[in-house]
């Protein structure tokens, strides 16, 4: 065991050596420190830029709407009603126009993501707004409730819309930004009187006059929470959701966005019959390894070079998948490409009955599938609920 004096001597020698070294190369070391700080600062800026890109990006209404929805939402369904109307050439806001819009939208597979289709005639008749007049709609769902966020458009008169609510039986709130209370009784009376079917999310309503929004829910407490969270933009709490949103090059006409947990449950082969599950297992063994998803987006996009929004070229179909690492994304790009080009057990037939695979790419932790819908197919309706083999976990 070394003597205490030896240890002390070694320590003193080391300190002295450090002092000499510092004295000799101090300016160079300071320069390195400054350079290191600059590099770290640039890295921090890059990280922050990635962190906020998801809602700034192209500044789409979809990104903004997701940033206003409750952070713990697990499923978001989006419809750009202004773009849908332009695409279909539907004008007017009366009940006949609403019916034309819904019929044409169904045929084009552009209304399946909406939570307002069933209520549209009642909305046009009694509420003063409907899919025939609003800009866009996002339905956000979590285990605790559902919230509709609707972009009314710049010219909307929320005071007049409030007067209409009062006229049909809703209780006016004390504050302009408070909650209009209808409840089950008012909605049931409206449904009976009009012969239409208003969805439960119309029971409680609130307006955001400054941002020209209307928010609705089937629960007063959930709408209160929704208003509180919508006060400031925020990211969804589930990791991976913002990454798959970033795979969309522009705002879709219709889209379904899921957390990884929701996608792995709702799109799994567990909902398929035994024979389909066996077929899926065989196809997976041939295609290669898969990893759990961290996010999923399925979107119908405007055709390329559709500058004025009026093109009648076929829409583009895009799927974005999120993974935990870049390595997983690269591996899954190959596997998912093979699965998307093959049979569709649980759906029936093959995926080629619904779309052709144009390109599959891995970038960072995401995989993007660029697909071309087959004429007459309903890919958004078919692929937004399981089982979907190429989205299996």
């Amino acid at each position: 065991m070394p003597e205490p004096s030896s240890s002390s001597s070694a320590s003193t020698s080391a300190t002295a050596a450090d002092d000499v070294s510092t004295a000799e190369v101090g300016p160079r070391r300071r320069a390195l420190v400054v350079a290191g700080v600059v590099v770290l600062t640039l890295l921090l800026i890059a990280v922050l830029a990635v962190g906020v890109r998801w809602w700034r990006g192209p500044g789409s209404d979809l990104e903004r709407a997701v940033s206003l929805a409750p952070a713990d939402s697990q499923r978001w369904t989006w419809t750009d009603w202004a773009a849908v109307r332009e695409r279909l050439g539907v004008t007017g806001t009366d009940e006949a126009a609403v019916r034309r819009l819904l019929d044409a939208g169904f045929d084009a597979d552009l209304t399946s993501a909406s939570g307002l289709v069933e209520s549209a005639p009642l909305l046009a008749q009694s509420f003063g707004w409907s899919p025939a007049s609003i800009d866009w709609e996002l339905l956000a769902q979590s285990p605790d409730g559902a919230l509709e966020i609707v972009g009314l458009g710049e010219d909307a008169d929320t005071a007049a819309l409030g007067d209409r609510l009062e006229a049909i039986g809703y209780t006016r709130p004390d504050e302009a930004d408070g909650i209009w209370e209808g409840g089950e009784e008012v909605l049931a009376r409206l449904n009976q009187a009009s012969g239409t079917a208003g969805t439960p999310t119309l029971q409680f309503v609130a307006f955001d006059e400054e941002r020209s929004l209307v928010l609705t829910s089937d629960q007063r407490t959930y709408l209160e929470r929704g208003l509180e969270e919508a006060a400031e933009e925020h990211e969804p709490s589930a990791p991976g959701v913002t990454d798959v949103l970033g795979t969309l090059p522009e705002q879709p006409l219709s889209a379904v966005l899921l957390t990884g947990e929701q996608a792995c449950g709702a799109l799994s082969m567990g909902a398929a019959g035994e024979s389909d599950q066996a077929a899926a297992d065989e196809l997976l063994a041939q295609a290669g390894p898969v990893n759990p998803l961290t996010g999923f987006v399925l979107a119908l996009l405007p055709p390329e070079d559709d500058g004025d929004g009026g093109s009648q070229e076929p829409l583009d179909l895009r799927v974005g998948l999120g993974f935990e690492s870049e390595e997983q994304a690269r591996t899954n790009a190959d596997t998912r490409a093979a699965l998307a080009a093959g049979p569709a057990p649980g759906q029936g037939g093959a995926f080629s009955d619904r779309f052709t695979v144009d390109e599959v790419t891995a970038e960072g932790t995401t995989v993007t599938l660029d697909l071309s819908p087959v004429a007459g197919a309903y890919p958004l309706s078919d692929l937004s609920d399981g089982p979907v083999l190429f989205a299996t976990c």
Side-chain angles (χ1 to χ4, degrees):
M1 179 175 180
E3 304 248 347
S5 58
S6 299
S7 177
S8 176
S9 175
S11 175
T12 302
S13 299
T15 303
D18 287 343
D19 289 343
V20 172
S21 177
T22 302
E24 290 177 349
V25 298
R28 180 168 177 266
R29 186 170 290 182
R30 283 194 295 272
L32 289 173
V33 170
V34 171
V37 170
V38 171
V39 171
L40 287 172
T41 301
L42 291 174
L43 286 173
L44 179 60
I45 291 173
V47 169
L48 290 174
V50 171
V52 300
R53 180 186 62 186
W54 72 277
W55 81 57
R56 290 183 181 173
S60 72
D61 288 328
L62 168 57
E63 293 168 325
R64 183 169 68 98
V66 170
S67 77
L68 299 177
D72 68 346
S73 298
Q74 294 187 2
R75 180 183 178 93
W76 301 259
T77 53
W78 162 266
T79 308
D80 183 342
W81 284 109
V84 169
R85 293 193 300 271
E86 187 169 20
R87 167 82 181 180
L88 301 176
V90 176
T91 59
T93 59
D94 59 15
E95 292 181 57
V98 169
R99 180 47 56 194
R100 290 196 303 272
L101 174 62
L102 298 184
D103 290 344
F106 176 84
D107 291 341
D109 197 25
L110 290 173
T111 60
S112 64
S114 172
L116 297 177
V117 169
E118 186 178 353
S119 303
L122 176 64
L123 290 169
Q125 181 183 104
S126 303
F127 286 70
W129 57 271
S130 76
S133 63
I134 61 177
D135 280 358
W136 51 262
E137 164 210 350
L138 181 79
L139 174 60
Q141 297 170 283
S142 79
D144 295 328
L147 182 73
E148 282 274 10
I149 305 176
V150 176
L152 292 169
E154 294 181 358
D155 298 330
D157 185 345
T158 56
L161 295 178
D163 290 341
R164 293 190 70 147
L165 284 179
E166 188 172 34
I168 59 177
Y170 282 71
T171 302
R172 180 183 292 271
D174 294 333
E175 304 293 336
D177 58 355
I179 294 176
W180 292 80
E181 185 164 347
E184 294 181 359
E185 184 178 342
V186 169
L187 192 59
R189 187 172 66 248
L190 289 172
N191 290 341
Q192 184 176 14
S194 63
T196 57
T199 56
T201 51
L202 296 176
Q203 292 181 54
F204 302 94
V205 180
F207 295 105
D208 184 328
E209 181 178 6
E210 182 178 349
R211 293 181 288 190
S212 195
L213 302 174
V214 59
L215 293 81
T216 75
S217 181
D218 58 343
Q219 303 174 51
R220 181 185 179 91
T221 54
Y222 199 72
L223 181 52
E224 289 173 346
R225 175 182 160 191
L227 289 169
E228 182 178 344
E229 293 201 40
E232 293 186 4
E233 294 176 341
H234 52 269
E235 292 192 57
S237 56
V241 174
T242 57
D243 294 334
V244 295
L245 260 183
T247 67
L248 301 181
E250 54 192 316
Q251 182 159 290
L253 281 76
S254 183
V256 176
L257 174 68
L258 306 175
T259 64
E261 179 183 1
Q262 179 70 14
C264 288
L267 305 181
S268 76
M269 293 303 302
E274 290 185 9
S275 60
D276 285 328
Q277 290 187 36
D281 290 341
E282 184 175 343
L283 291 167
L284 282 167
Q286 296 171 4
V290 295
N291 297 101
L293 303 179
T294 60
F296 171 91
V297 66
L298 172 68
L300 282 169
L301 300 169
E304 290 185 11
D305 303 322
D306 185 18
D308 60 1
S311 172
Q312 291 306 303
E313 291 296 314
L315 297 173
D316 295 325
L317 180 65
R318 174 164 288 201
V319 176
L321 309 174
F323 298 94
E324 289 186 354
S325 68
E326 294 183 8
E327 182 180 358
Q328 285 188 8
R330 289 191 296 270
T331 298
N332 279 264
D334 295 333
T335 305
R336 311 282 175 167
L339 294 174
Q347 291 274 345
F351 287 117
S352 58
D353 299 330
R354 299 162 177 84
F355 57 77
T356 57
V357 179
D358 298 331
E359 186 177 20
V360 178
T361 57
E363 182 176 353
T365 59
T366 61
V367 171
T368 300
L369 291 82
D370 286 312
L371 314 170
S372 294
V374 171
Y378 295 82
L380 198 81
S381 302
D382 286 349
L383 304 177
S384 57
D385 289 302
V388 180
L389 181 58
F390 69 79
T392 190
C393 293

